[in-house]
Amino acid sequence: MGNNGYVTRPASARAPRLDQVCAAAVEVARAAITEVDPADVGEHLQAVAEGDRLVTHYFECRLAGYRGWRWAVTVTRVPRSRNVTICETVLLPGADALLAPGWVPWQERLKPGDLGPGDLLPTPPDDERLAPGYLLSDDPAVEETAWELGLGRPRVLSREGRSEAAQRWYDGDHGPNAAISVAAPAAARCGTCGFYLPLAGALRQAFGACGNFYAPDDGRVVSADHGCGAHSETLAETAETPVDEMPTVYDDSAVEAMSVSRAPGSVEAAEPAEPYGHP
């Protein structure tokens, strides 16, 4: 048996037919552009059917600074009438038009370092980086402080806030991929440095503060695998200098016998002579 259910057919969208009366009203559409001088309206580009007896005429825009923009004038007429009326006139960007950058909320336009002395940066009440201080978090250090009577902060970092901060620090100038870290010796990592001050809480395993006065990261949060040449265990190795042998001043390997004359009366005449000619 066949299927006797209802048969539905998808409705096909019929393209609007270009109305010839509205399409021929080029000069009527041109005259409707009264916001600028006639010289700022260029050649007629095209006529596009928007609906039944509804046509938009496009004209070239010659205004300075509006390269690629087009004047758009929409006209229409009632059925069985030869009179065309104006619906609207607008200036629209074309495919190669110069456009201003998209609007970005002010809190998203801020960059590190934009906040100066006297500036105020209010935090939205629904900031996902923060959580109410009375809520338990997965950070023991935060819970220890937040639940102390009278010392709890109104809001603390949420898990999303900590993750965002940790990723930003790790990818920044104080992480392992920084130029100074890449150039440092492989063993000169901050986690093994005596000047490394680990953070408290959940970030302790990955981040700390640098306390080396001579290091470029002094007073800044660095990752444990960051590094520099001011590591506490970096010792200056003294190169061994070979000692040159002094030239031989004299050779005592052989003794040459020398006869010494005796002065008259220095010794008894009957006394035998001493060895080696000494009296």
Side-chain angles (χ1 to χ4, degrees), residues 1 5 8 19-20 32 49 86 101 151 159 184 199 201 204 219 257 272 274:
M1 298 179 60
T8 58
D19 185 82
Q20 297 301 322
I86 305 299
L151 298 179
R159 179 180 298 179
L199 297 183
R204 179 183 181 89
E274 294 181 0

Side-chain angles (χ1 to χ4, degrees), residues 23-247:
V26 175
E27 296 305 322
V28 175
R30 182 188 296 273
I33 306 175
T34 59
E35 294 87 352
V36 296
D37 295 333
D40 294 327
V41 182
E43 299 179 357
H44 182 260
L45 300 177
Q46 63 178 144
V48 179
E50 306 289 352
D52 293 339
R53 296 178 300 278
L54 188 66
V55 176
T56 298
H57 293 272
Y58 291 94
F59 298 89
E60 178 187 4
C61 178
R62 293 179 178 175
L63 286 173
Y66 284 85
R67 181 177 62 84
W69 288 66
R70 303 178 299 173
W71 294 103
V73 182
T74 303
V75 298
T76 187
R77 69 182 179 91
V78 297
R80 294 186 298 276
S81 174
R82 309 294 295 182
N83 295 326
V84 176
T85 58
I86 305 299
C87 295
E88 63 176 355
T89 301
V90 293
L91 182 62
L92 299 177
D96 57 345
L98 295 176
L99 301 177
W103 184 82
V104 179
W106 66 268
Q107 61 268 28
E108 298 180 13
R109 295 196 300 267
L110 290 176
K111 301 297 181 183
D114 289 348
L115 192 67
D119 295 337
L120 297 178
L121 180 61
T123 304
D126 57 348
D127 196 327
E128 64 178 7
R129 300 173 300 171
L130 298 173
Y134 57 80
L135 295 179
L136 288 176
S137 68
D138 58 351
D139 194 333
V142 174
E143 296 174 4
E144 180 181 354
T145 303
W147 282 90
E148 292 180 4
L149 183 60
L151 298 179
R153 292 172 288 171
R155 289 190 292 178
V156 296
L157 271 178
S158 63
R159 179 180 298 179
E160 290 78 7
R162 286 194 305 275
S163 299
E164 180 181 337
Q167 192 65 46
R168 183 174 64 254
W169 294 346
Y170 198 80
D171 297 338
D173 295 335
H174 311 293
N177 297 325
I180 191 172
S181 180
V182 174
R189 300 297 100 183
C190 293
T192 59
C193 182
F195 300 105
Y196 180 73
L197 305 172
L199 297 183
L203 298 178
R204 179 183 181 89
Q205 299 298 326
F207 296 98
C210 177
N212 190 348
F213 174 76
Y214 298 102
D217 299 312
D218 180 42
R220 295 177 173 86
V221 175
V222 295
S223 64
D225 51 357
H226 182 70
C228 72
H231 194 276
S232 62
E233 307 309 315
T234 300
L235 303 177
E237 298 181 358
T238 304
E240 296 182 358
T241 304
V243 179
D244 296 333
E245 295 184 1
M246 297 297 294

